[in-house]
Amino acid sequence: MVNNFSRSTSFNRRALNAESPRVLNVSSPKALNVLSTKPLCFTSSRVYHRLGWVSRLFPVLILIGALISFIILLHGGYIYVLPSLSQAFYGHGVLKFNNSSNVCDIFDGSWVIDDDYPLYNASDCPFAEQGFNCLGNGRKDRDYLKWRWKPKNCDIPRFNVHNVLEMLRDKRIVFVGDSMSRTQWESLICLLMTGVEDKKSVYEVNGNKITKRIRFLGVRFTSFNFTIEFFRSVFLVQHGWMPRHAPKRVRSTLKLDKLDDVSNEWINADVLIFNTGQWWVPGKLFETGCYFQVGNSVKLGMSIPAAFKMALGTWASWVENTIDTNRTLVFFRTFEPSHWSEKSRRFCNVTQNPLLETEGRDRSIFSETIFEVIKNMTVPITVLQVTSMSAFRRDAHVGGWSDNPTVPDCSHWCLPGLPDIWNEIFLSYLLADYGLPAVNGKQYWMTHD
């Protein structure tokens, strides 16, 4: 199915219909020979009448054709300008193309060995959780650290920490989601810490230690006047206690029509990165007595996919009505596949290298629902489609190298590792989408090879 760790992973916001956006090539119609080959003096009056009618109609046809061509060009330009609507924009102004098509789906590619990785040491980063520091927890092989994502038709720019720090100056970056979001948050901070001389100038704003139990974490980079924040919101919608008169099996509910009660804290960010999915499983919901609620009604028979879609609809309405997308860039990262060897999640087999095939993990009902909801939104949202590329990376999981080795983990990822690649892609979009201002007359970004 896939050779040399390469396969097509062409997904975008219009990919739910299993059809990539196409550029229409409109060729000029052949000229119609409407004149007789006979001398004009031998032409009948009826022919003269037809010729007069055609001559009057011809400018009208020219005008209609020009109008249609203008509409097609305008539509194509609209798609090109908004990266959230077409893969034709992927990498515009950021990626270095290596063929003549100038079209790059950044998520269509393969994993390649690169000795320049990893980009940091988790043991030197005070914001990396001990549970994700696989090397620090005794993992001996290092091959999993050496893989870089290579898009098929372009190259992701090399990470230049000093340029990125300047790019983020005076900004507020906010991650919202579950522990996978927190892992990406930690990864980004560790990447940026490598370019800060005074490590003490980077600190958690409330003096908290980085743990999974804290609802809010914020790290400030004093020298560059920006913060990178994380809000724990595993469902994005409100989780409440058992409503009055509910059946005994109902201990709590997800209020699908109400966004998380801390959502007001997200509003004034310059960049928002959302994710959800890992907690939308029976073991985290029904088996704990958690069911779905809409208004005052508990929906005992509602399926998880239907509830997930309704919750995303609530999130989408909140973004459309609350977020000023002229100021705030909004990203949504798709579902991150796990690699448990059985559904009971008791056996975790971490490999030394990426898989040759995705074993069906490149598709997810959650990722498909994310695309379906976002494609109908009225504001631009950039989808980070990490599902397919991550499906190969059975080698990158924490496994038995966490801070609690008796509990295997084929859901979370080692740091450094795969989340660093998510962040490199995120940063490439950030420049393309943001149109960040120049600093001292120069536009800062990541350097190419």
Side-chain angles (χ1 to χ4, degrees), residues 192-281:
L192 298 177
M193 282 285 289
T194 62
V196 177
E197 293 184 7
D198 181 7
K199 307 299 182 184
K200 293 182 179 180
S201 69
V202 181
Y203 58 90
E204 204 285 320
V205 294
N206 292 316
N208 290 319
K209 184 179 180 180
I210 311 303
T211 70
K212 62 183 179 181
R213 296 177 177 85
I214 298 179
R215 190 87 192 271
F216 167 77
L217 292 164
V219 170
R220 179 170 178 80
F221 286 71
T222 306
S223 300
F224 298 89
N225 192 36
F226 70 81
T227 59
I228 303 179
E229 303 172 17
F230 167 72
F231 287 87
R232 185 177 184 269
S233 180
V234 298
F235 298 109
L236 299 183
V237 292
Q238 286 187 23
H239 183 206
W241 297 112
M242 176 185 68
R244 187 176 299 178
H245 307 306
K248 290 184 178 180
R249 59 175 164 163
V250 179
R251 298 180 181 177
S252 64
T253 61
L254 285 185
K255 299 178 181 180
L256 301 177
D257 54 347
K258 294 184 178 180
L259 207 64
D260 198 316
D261 53 10
V262 297
S263 57
N264 286 338
E265 301 293 333
W266 313 337
I267 294 176
N268 293 321
D270 293 289
V271 181
L272 283 169
I273 308 100
F274 292 93
N275 96 299
T276 186
Q278 292 291 332
W279 282 62
W280 291 85
V281 292

XYZ file of all heavy atoms in Angstrom, residues 192-281:
756
model
N 10.931 27.058 21.588
C 11.284 28.473 21.679
C 12.313 28.746 22.772
O 13.097 29.697 22.663
C 10.023 29.299 21.924
C 8.963 29.235 20.819
C 7.732 30.040 21.202
C 9.531 29.723 19.493
N 12.325 27.925 23.811
C 13.292 28.100 24.897
C 14.729 27.980 24.417
O 15.645 28.569 25.010
C 13.028 27.072 25.993
C 11.860 27.398 26.912
S 12.252 28.699 28.092
C 13.406 27.838 29.182
N 14.945 27.251 23.334
C 16.314 27.067 22.835
C 16.925 28.370 22.339
O 18.143 28.465 22.188
C 16.345 26.028 21.701
O 15.555 26.494 20.594
C 15.801 24.685 22.175
N 16.097 29.376 22.070
C 16.613 30.648 21.574
C 16.641 31.747 22.616
O 16.958 32.895 22.289
N 16.324 31.428 23.861
C 16.292 32.428 24.923
C 17.561 32.310 25.768
O 17.854 31.248 26.319
C 15.046 32.242 25.815
C 15.062 33.231 26.966
C 13.773 32.397 24.987
N 18.318 33.395 25.872
C 19.567 33.367 26.632
C 19.306 33.309 28.136
O 19.898 32.495 28.847
C 20.404 34.602 26.283
C 20.915 34.606 24.849
C 21.817 35.795 24.575
O 22.140 36.524 25.540
O 22.193 35.997 23.406
N 18.424 34.159 28.613
C 18.115 34.202 30.043
C 16.906 33.296 30.302
O 15.757 33.708 30.140
C 17.812 35.631 30.476
C 17.511 35.740 31.978
O 17.681 34.720 32.682
O 17.099 36.835 32.417
N 17.159 32.060 30.680
C 16.082 31.087 30.875
C 15.116 31.509 31.973
O 13.934 31.160 31.934
C 16.666 29.706 31.202
C 17.708 29.196 30.211
C 17.156 29.040 28.812
C 18.217 28.469 27.867
N 17.729 28.394 26.466
N 15.594 32.285 32.941
C 14.730 32.710 34.034
C 13.706 33.752 33.593
O 12.763 34.040 34.328
C 15.580 33.270 35.183
C 16.441 32.216 35.872
C 17.219 32.815 37.036
C 18.049 31.751 37.741
N 18.829 32.329 38.885
N 13.916 34.317 32.416
C 12.962 35.303 31.904
C 11.722 34.633 31.320
O 10.779 35.320 30.920
C 13.627 36.176 30.833
O 13.896 35.415 29.657
N 11.725 33.302 31.282
C 10.569 32.534 30.816
C 9.994 31.809 32.027
O 10.696 31.038 32.691
C 10.968 31.525 29.717
C 9.747 30.768 29.233
C 11.657 32.235 28.560
N 8.729 32.048 32.345
C 8.167 31.492 33.576
C 6.661 31.278 33.433
O 5.999 31.935 32.613
C 8.447 32.427 34.754
C 7.901 33.829 34.569
C 6.602 34.161 35.001
C 8.662 34.821 33.961
C 6.098 35.428 34.822
C 8.165 36.099 33.779
C 6.875 36.401 34.209
O 6.376 37.660 34.016
N 6.127 30.372 34.251
C 4.682 30.165 34.316
C 4.086 31.294 35.139
O 4.563 31.585 36.233
C 4.366 28.810 34.957
C 2.999 28.232 34.565
C 1.845 28.927 35.254
O 1.989 29.252 36.457
O 0.807 29.139 34.602
N 3.057 31.931 34.629
C 2.596 33.204 35.181
C 2.075 33.081 36.612
O 2.086 34.065 37.362
C 1.519 33.827 34.266
C 2.118 34.221 32.925
C 0.338 32.873 34.067
N 1.607 31.893 36.992
C 1.117 31.699 38.357
C 2.065 30.872 39.214
O 1.719 30.478 40.332
C -0.253 31.021 38.332
C -1.320 31.927 37.743
O -1.382 33.110 38.062
N -2.158 31.380 36.871
N 3.249 30.627 38.681
C 4.227 29.845 39.426
C 3.883 28.378 39.546
O 4.424 27.673 40.409
N 2.994 27.878 38.689
C 2.555 26.488 38.771
C 3.521 25.539 38.071
O 4.149 25.896 37.071
C 1.169 26.323 38.126
C 0.075 26.984 38.944
O 0.068 26.902 40.162
N -0.849 27.651 38.262
N 3.600 24.342 38.604
C 4.318 23.275 37.944
C 3.444 22.693 36.844
O 2.216 22.656 36.972
C 4.692 22.180 38.960
C 5.533 21.064 38.387
C 5.870 20.041 39.467
C 6.713 18.911 38.888
N 7.047 17.901 39.937
N 4.054 22.262 35.762
C 3.300 21.765 34.617
C 2.766 20.367 34.929
O 3.524 19.388 34.987
C 4.162 21.730 33.342
C 4.877 23.078 33.148
C 3.309 21.386 32.140
C 3.953 24.270 33.080
N 1.465 20.278 35.146
C 0.824 18.994 35.411
C -0.506 18.944 34.672
O -1.061 19.968 34.261
C 0.565 18.769 36.910
O -0.474 19.657 37.341
C 1.815 19.012 37.736
N -1.048 17.750 34.545
C -2.305 17.564 33.828
C -3.510 17.966 34.651
O -4.628 18.026 34.120
C -2.443 16.111 33.391
C -2.479 15.112 34.542
C -2.537 13.698 34.020
C -2.548 12.667 35.143
N -2.575 11.278 34.630
N -3.340 18.246 35.907
C -4.478 18.523 36.782
C -4.877 19.998 36.807
O -5.918 20.350 37.328
C -4.164 18.054 38.208
C -3.976 16.553 38.321
C -3.599 16.136 39.731
N -3.482 14.689 39.840
C -2.387 14.005 39.549
N -1.318 14.664 39.120
N -2.352 12.695 39.662
N -4.046 20.868 36.264
C -4.317 22.304 36.328
C -5.121 22.739 35.107
O -4.795 22.381 33.970
C -3.003 23.096 36.439
C -2.277 22.719 37.738
C -3.252 24.589 36.380
C -0.968 23.429 37.940
N -6.168 23.515 35.341
C -7.074 23.936 34.265
C -6.445 24.992 33.353
O -6.723 25.037 32.162
C -8.359 24.498 34.900
C -9.485 24.747 33.899
C -10.306 23.510 33.683
N -11.208 23.610 32.557
C -12.456 24.085 32.628
N -12.937 24.513 33.773
N -13.206 24.114 31.553
N -5.616 25.853 33.911
C -4.980 26.903 33.112
C -3.482 26.943 33.387
O -3.041 26.895 34.536
C -5.576 28.273 33.441
C -4.766 29.419 32.888
C -4.837 29.736 31.548
C -3.912 30.148 33.710
C -4.079 30.783 31.021
C -3.158 31.195 33.198
C -3.244 31.505 31.851
N -2.707 27.050 32.316
C -1.266 27.233 32.404
C -0.868 28.300 31.399
O -1.348 28.304 30.253
C -0.524 25.928 32.094
C -0.676 24.791 33.107
C -0.233 23.468 32.493
C 0.130 25.089 34.373
N -0.005 29.207 31.820
C 0.458 30.253 30.916
C 1.936 30.520 31.114
O 2.388 30.721 32.248
N 2.689 30.512 30.038
C 4.131 30.758 30.110
C 4.443 32.058 29.385
O 4.044 32.249 28.223
C 4.929 29.591 29.496
C 6.404 29.962 29.357
C 4.770 28.342 30.360
N 5.131 32.930 30.080
C 5.461 34.246 29.530
C 6.932 34.304 29.122
O 7.811 33.903 29.888
C 5.169 35.334 30.557
C 5.508 36.730 30.074
C 4.973 37.801 31.013
N 5.349 39.134 30.561
C 4.728 39.801 29.604
N 3.693 39.239 28.985
N 5.124 41.008 29.247
N 7.167 34.815 27.921
C 8.508 35.085 27.418
C 8.741 36.589 27.568
O 8.358 37.387 26.712
C 8.635 34.658 25.957
C 8.721 33.165 25.758
C 7.607 32.357 25.966
C 9.912 32.558 25.376
C 7.674 30.982 25.780
C 9.997 31.185 25.198
C 8.876 30.392 25.410
N 9.347 36.961 28.693
C 9.449 38.370 29.068
C 10.204 39.199 28.032
O 9.783 40.308 27.679
C 10.147 38.498 30.432
O 9.462 37.697 31.390
C 10.158 39.939 30.897
N 11.293 38.691 27.523
C 12.137 39.465 26.605
C 11.427 39.790 25.298
O 11.799 40.749 24.614
C 13.434 38.699 26.314
O 14.155 38.464 27.504
N 10.417 38.993 24.953
C 9.701 39.207 23.694
C 8.238 39.597 23.924
O 7.489 39.748 22.956
C 9.785 37.939 22.841
C 11.193 37.574 22.461
C 11.958 36.755 23.275
C 11.763 38.083 21.307
C 13.269 36.430 22.941
C 13.063 37.766 20.960
C 13.825 36.939 21.780
N 7.846 39.717 25.179
C 6.514 40.209 25.537
C 5.390 39.394 24.899
O 4.440 39.935 24.343
C 6.370 41.691 25.150
C 5.128 42.308 25.772
O 4.742 41.980 26.896
N 4.474 43.202 25.037
N 5.491 38.076 24.966
C 4.366 37.254 24.520
C 4.148 36.112 25.499
O 5.041 35.744 26.273
C 4.555 36.736 23.085
C 5.631 35.698 22.911
C 5.404 34.356 23.215
C 6.871 36.045 22.382
C 6.392 33.399 23.026
C 7.860 35.099 22.188
C 7.613 33.764 22.514
N 2.930 35.580 25.477
C 2.572 34.438 26.321
C 2.036 33.309 25.457
O 1.422 33.535 24.410
C 1.508 34.806 27.372
O 0.331 35.283 26.702
C 2.021 35.852 28.328
N 2.290 32.091 25.919
C 1.726 30.895 25.303
C 0.926 30.190 26.394
O 1.494 29.757 27.399
C 2.818 29.974 24.738
C 3.674 30.745 23.727
C 2.204 28.746 24.072
C 4.794 29.932 23.132
N -0.388 30.098 26.196
C -1.283 29.647 27.244
C -1.984 28.341 26.861
O -2.128 28.025 25.682
C -2.335 30.733 27.534
C -1.718 32.066 27.918
C -2.744 33.178 28.008
O -3.959 32.874 28.093
O -2.347 34.363 27.979
N -2.398 27.613 27.880
C -3.160 26.379 27.680
C -4.357 26.366 28.609
O -4.223 26.585 29.818
C -2.292 25.138 27.942
C -3.093 23.875 28.064
C -3.690 23.301 26.943
C -3.286 23.258 29.300
C -4.456 22.143 27.055
C -4.042 22.105 29.417
C -4.628 21.544 28.285
N -5.540 26.133 28.035
C -6.765 25.951 28.802
C -7.239 24.508 28.617
O -7.471 24.069 27.485
C -7.857 26.910 28.330
C -7.633 28.331 28.737
C -6.862 29.174 27.947
C -8.186 28.835 29.907
C -6.649 30.497 28.315
C -7.978 30.152 30.280
C -7.207 30.981 29.486
N -7.374 23.803 29.725
C -7.850 22.419 29.659
C -9.359 22.420 29.473
O -10.118 22.832 30.354
C -7.472 21.662 30.925
C -7.816 20.177 30.891
C -7.326 19.489 32.161
N -7.555 18.046 32.127
C -8.643 17.450 32.582
N -9.619 18.184 33.131
N -8.783 16.145 32.513
N -9.795 21.967 28.311
C -11.220 21.867 27.994
C -11.381 20.647 27.090
O -11.370 20.747 25.868
C -11.722 23.137 27.293
O -13.095 23.037 26.987
N -11.508 19.488 27.702
C -11.394 18.235 26.953
C -12.562 18.005 26.001
O -12.433 17.289 25.006
C -11.240 17.032 27.910
C -9.972 17.177 28.722
C -12.450 16.893 28.818
N -13.725 18.616 26.286
C -14.892 18.456 25.414
C -15.249 19.737 24.672
O -16.106 19.709 23.784
C -16.111 18.023 26.238
C -15.960 16.693 26.927
C -15.824 16.626 28.310
C -15.942 15.510 26.203
C -15.702 15.403 28.952
C -15.810 14.287 26.833
C -15.688 14.233 28.212
N -14.676 20.857 25.048
C -14.970 22.195 24.538
C -16.316 22.723 25.026
O -16.522 23.928 25.089
C -14.913 22.268 23.002
C -13.559 21.933 22.367
C -13.631 22.130 20.856
C -12.427 22.762 22.958
N -17.267 21.842 25.344
C -18.558 22.263 25.876
C -18.593 22.028 27.386
O -17.707 21.385 27.950
C -19.725 21.518 25.185
C -19.843 21.949 23.727
C -19.531 20.013 25.290
N -19.646 22.537 28.036
C -19.727 22.487 29.493
C -19.999 21.075 30.013
O -20.837 20.356 29.483
C -20.838 23.421 29.988
C -20.492 24.884 29.900
C -21.553 25.756 30.557
O -22.307 25.292 31.415
N -21.605 27.026 30.158
N -19.289 20.724 31.065
C -19.506 19.462 31.767
C -20.120 19.794 33.122
O -19.513 20.491 33.936
C -18.179 18.721 31.943
C -18.313 17.379 32.583
N -17.295 16.782 33.291
C -19.358 16.511 32.640
C -17.703 15.607 33.746
N -18.947 15.429 33.365
N -21.350 19.328 33.348
C -22.037 19.669 34.582
C -22.475 18.449 35.372
O -22.437 17.319 34.879
N -22.899 18.686 36.608
C -23.355 17.589 37.451
C -24.745 17.125 37.039
O -25.414 17.746 36.218
C -23.340 18.013 38.915
C -21.974 18.351 39.413
C -21.511 19.586 39.783
C -20.882 17.446 39.549
N -20.196 19.504 40.153
C -19.774 18.203 40.025
C -20.712 16.075 39.330
C -18.532 17.640 40.275
C -19.470 15.512 39.583
C -18.399 16.285 40.048
N -25.188 16.035 37.651
C -26.466 15.421 37.317
C -27.611 16.430 37.465
O -27.778 17.055 38.518
C -26.712 14.214 38.230
C -28.060 13.558 38.029
S -28.352 12.250 39.234
C -28.485 13.232 40.743
N -28.405 16.608 36.398
C -29.548 17.506 36.511
C -30.658 16.901 37.380
O -30.710 15.692 37.589
C -30.014 17.657 35.055
C -29.555 16.410 34.383
C -28.272 16.019 35.058
N -31.522 17.750 37.875
C -32.620 17.307 38.732
C -33.559 16.374 37.955
O -33.833 16.582 36.779
C -33.393 18.519 39.238
C -34.466 18.216 40.278
C -35.101 19.495 40.772
N -34.107 20.357 41.406
C -34.410 21.563 41.901
N -35.641 22.028 41.826
N -33.452 22.283 42.470
N -34.014 15.337 38.609
C -34.958 14.353 38.068
C -34.358 13.473 36.955
O -35.101 12.852 36.208
C -36.228 15.038 37.532
C -36.890 15.946 38.527
N -37.260 15.519 39.789
C -37.218 17.267 38.452
C -37.809 16.533 40.450
N -37.785 17.601 39.660
N -33.051 13.429 36.854
C -32.419 12.566 35.853
C -32.419 11.121 36.340
O -32.460 10.864 37.552
C -30.987 13.027 35.590
N -32.371 10.140 35.429
C -32.284 8.731 35.842
C -31.053 8.482 36.713
O -30.063 9.220 36.648
C -32.176 7.994 34.505
C -32.791 8.913 33.509
C -32.464 10.298 33.974
N -31.112 7.429 37.498
C -30.040 7.141 38.456
C -28.696 6.910 37.781
O -27.641 7.190 38.357
C -30.412 5.925 39.298
C -31.553 6.189 40.282
C -31.805 4.967 41.151
C -32.911 5.240 42.159
N -33.174 4.053 43.032
N -28.714 6.371 36.575
C -27.432 6.084 35.912
C -26.721 7.359 35.455
O -25.545 7.328 35.094
C -27.653 5.158 34.721
C -28.592 5.713 33.657
C -28.650 4.794 32.455
N -29.800 5.082 31.604
C -29.905 4.657 30.355
N -28.945 3.914 29.842
N -30.966 4.946 29.635
N -27.423 8.486 35.444
C -26.831 9.749 35.006
C -26.172 10.439 36.196
O -26.848 10.869 37.133
C -27.892 10.671 34.380
C -27.248 11.992 33.950
C -28.562 9.988 33.192
N -24.863 10.530 36.153
C -24.116 11.205 37.209
C -23.694 12.613 36.805
O -23.486 13.475 37.655
C -22.888 10.382 37.581
C -23.219 8.999 38.132
C -21.939 8.242 38.466
N -22.215 6.905 38.978
C -21.284 6.022 39.298
N -19.988 6.344 39.152
N -21.612 4.828 39.755
N -23.508 12.817 35.514
C -23.127 14.138 35.006
C -23.556 14.225 33.545
O -23.930 13.214 32.933
C -21.626 14.380 35.136
O -20.900 13.458 34.329
N -23.506 15.413 32.984
C -23.895 15.590 31.579
C -22.938 16.542 30.868
O -22.294 17.402 31.494
C -25.320 16.159 31.454
O -25.368 17.451 32.088
C -26.346 15.221 32.068
N -22.873 16.366 29.567
C -22.235 17.345 28.699
C -23.334 18.200 28.101
O -24.230 17.692 27.420
C -21.442 16.658 27.582
C -20.111 16.007 27.933
C -19.439 15.512 26.660
C -19.209 16.951 28.681
N -23.281 19.498 28.359
C -24.272 20.416 27.815
C -23.831 20.822 26.409
O -23.034 21.742 26.221
C -24.414 21.622 28.729
C -24.887 21.247 30.126
C -24.983 22.454 31.048
C -25.444 22.046 32.438
N -25.542 23.207 33.359
N -24.360 20.114 25.420
C -23.872 20.232 24.052
C -24.155 21.589 23.433
O -23.521 21.958 22.438
C -24.500 19.131 23.191
C -24.236 17.691 23.642
C -24.968 16.715 22.736
C -22.740 17.391 23.660
N -25.104 22.322 23.979
C -25.461 23.627 23.425
C -24.822 24.790 24.174
O -25.157 25.947 23.935
C -26.980 23.797 23.418
C -27.613 23.571 24.794
O -26.909 23.045 25.681
O -28.793 23.906 24.970
N -23.879 24.495 25.088
C -23.201 25.544 25.833
C -21.700 25.309 25.814
O -21.230 24.248 26.213
C -23.694 25.592 27.278
C -25.161 26.012 27.411
C -25.556 26.133 28.868
C -27.009 26.589 28.997
N -27.427 26.725 30.413
N -20.963 26.325 25.352
C -19.513 26.194 25.323
C -18.958 26.239 26.745
O -19.623 26.709 27.672
C -18.904 27.306 24.475
C -17.550 26.968 23.827
C -17.707 25.837 22.836
C -16.951 28.185 23.141
N -17.755 25.727 26.916
C -17.104 25.677 28.225
C -17.215 27.021 28.933
O -17.109 28.090 28.316
C -15.635 25.294 28.042
C -15.003 24.792 29.324
O -15.229 25.408 30.373
O -14.288 23.781 29.274
N -17.420 26.963 30.248
C -17.644 28.198 31.009
C -16.400 29.072 31.125
O -16.489 30.195 31.636
C -18.195 27.881 32.407
C -17.344 26.886 33.170
O -16.230 26.580 32.695
O -17.771 26.413 34.234
N -15.237 28.600 30.675
C -14.038 29.448 30.673
C -13.776 30.048 29.294
O -12.727 30.642 29.062
C -12.788 28.667 31.154
C -12.950 28.206 32.577
C -12.482 27.502 30.218
N -14.732 29.912 28.381
C -14.511 30.341 26.998
C -14.275 31.849 26.882
O -13.629 32.299 25.920
C -15.688 29.921 26.116
O -16.908 30.444 26.607
N -14.792 32.636 27.826
C -14.549 34.076 27.766
C -13.069 34.414 27.883
O -12.626 35.477 27.426
C -15.316 34.795 28.880
C -16.813 34.883 28.593
O -17.228 34.785 27.441
N -17.604 35.051 29.631
N -12.299 33.503 28.488
C -10.862 33.731 28.641
C -10.112 33.557 27.333
O -8.938 33.929 27.225
C -10.289 32.763 29.685
C -10.919 32.881 31.054
C -10.604 34.199 31.735
O -9.549 34.782 31.417
O -11.418 34.644 32.567
N -10.758 32.984 26.329
C -10.081 32.712 25.063
C -10.197 33.865 24.073
O -9.478 33.904 23.062
C -10.662 31.464 24.402
C -10.830 30.278 25.303
C -10.171 30.021 26.472
C -11.735 29.179 25.126
N -10.596 28.841 27.024
C -11.557 28.291 26.222
C -12.665 28.835 24.155
C -12.275 27.108 26.361
C -13.386 27.659 24.280
C -13.193 26.809 25.372
N -11.095 34.799 24.339
C -11.548 35.733 23.303
C -10.440 36.637 22.783
O -10.305 36.830 21.573
C -12.728 36.576 23.840
C -13.935 35.676 24.088
C -13.083 37.690 22.863
C -15.122 36.387 24.717
N -9.643 37.205 23.635
C -8.695 38.242 23.217
C -7.334 37.705 22.794
O -6.339 38.429 22.842
C -8.527 39.265 24.335
C -9.799 40.060 24.574
O -10.502 40.416 23.624
N -10.109 40.332 25.832
N -7.280 36.475 22.382
C -6.010 35.899 21.902
C -5.714 36.378 20.489
O -6.616 36.725 19.723
C -6.082 34.383 21.940
N -4.442 36.382 20.142
C -4.046 36.652 18.761
C -4.130 35.392 17.916
O -4.399 35.458 16.714
C -2.614 37.200 18.725
C -2.517 38.568 19.376
O -3.024 39.537 18.777
O -1.974 38.664 20.491
N -3.890 34.250 18.555
C -3.971 32.956 17.862
C -4.658 31.963 18.792
O -4.298 31.868 19.972
C -2.577 32.419 17.470
C -2.712 31.087 16.724
C -1.819 33.428 16.621
N -5.636 31.234 18.272
C -6.327 30.177 19.018
C -6.108 28.852 18.303
O -6.302 28.753 17.088
C -7.828 30.471 19.096
C -8.293 31.524 20.101
C -9.757 31.872 19.846
C -8.114 31.021 21.526
N -5.713 27.816 19.056
C -5.533 26.470 18.498
C -6.385 25.508 19.323
O -6.121 25.294 20.508
C -4.059 26.021 18.534
C -3.147 27.073 17.904
C -3.901 24.683 17.805
C -2.444 27.944 18.920
N -7.411 24.944 18.695
C -8.338 24.052 19.387
C -8.073 22.590 19.022
O -7.552 22.278 17.944
C -9.783 24.380 18.997
C -10.271 25.707 19.489
C -10.179 26.841 18.692
C -10.838 25.836 20.750
C -10.636 28.075 19.130
C -11.304 27.059 21.205
C -11.206 28.187 20.393
N -8.461 21.697 19.945
C -8.552 20.276 19.616
C -9.502 19.610 20.606
O -9.752 20.121 21.705
C -7.181 19.588 19.663
C -6.905 18.903 20.995
O -6.865 19.548 22.035
N -6.737 17.593 20.958
N -10.058 18.494 20.215
C -10.852 17.650 21.106
C -11.020 16.299 20.414
O -10.842 16.188 19.208
C -12.224 18.270 21.430
O -12.889 17.469 22.423
C -13.116 18.350 20.194
N -11.354 15.283 21.190
C -11.566 13.968 20.588
C -11.213 12.808 21.501
O -11.923 11.800 21.531
N -10.113 12.937 22.241
C -9.631 11.800 23.022
C -10.607 11.371 24.115
O -10.638 10.201 24.499
C -8.271 12.141 23.644
C -7.139 12.283 22.644
C -6.746 10.978 22.000
O -6.907 9.909 22.586
N -6.231 11.042 20.779
N -11.425 12.280 24.615
C -12.350 11.961 25.699
C -13.737 11.559 25.184
O -14.605 11.207 25.988
C -12.471 13.156 26.648
C -11.297 13.278 27.585
C -9.999 13.476 27.252
C -11.332 13.191 29.012
N -9.206 13.542 28.366
C -10.001 13.375 29.470
C -12.347 13.002 29.955
C -9.674 13.345 30.822
C -12.025 12.992 31.305
C -10.694 13.159 31.719
N -13.934 11.627 23.880
C -15.238 11.282 23.316
C -15.317 9.775 23.047
O -15.472 9.323 21.914
C -15.484 12.077 22.041
C -15.698 13.543 22.286
C -14.731 14.499 22.406
C -16.946 14.208 22.447
N -15.306 15.732 22.632
C -16.672 15.590 22.661
C -18.285 13.788 22.425
C -17.675 16.532 22.854
C -19.281 14.739 22.616
C -18.979 16.087 22.832
N -15.200 9.006 24.105
C -15.245 7.537 24.026
C -16.124 7.025 25.168
O -16.279 7.703 26.199
C -13.828 6.931 24.125
C -13.001 7.284 22.893
C -13.126 7.392 25.397
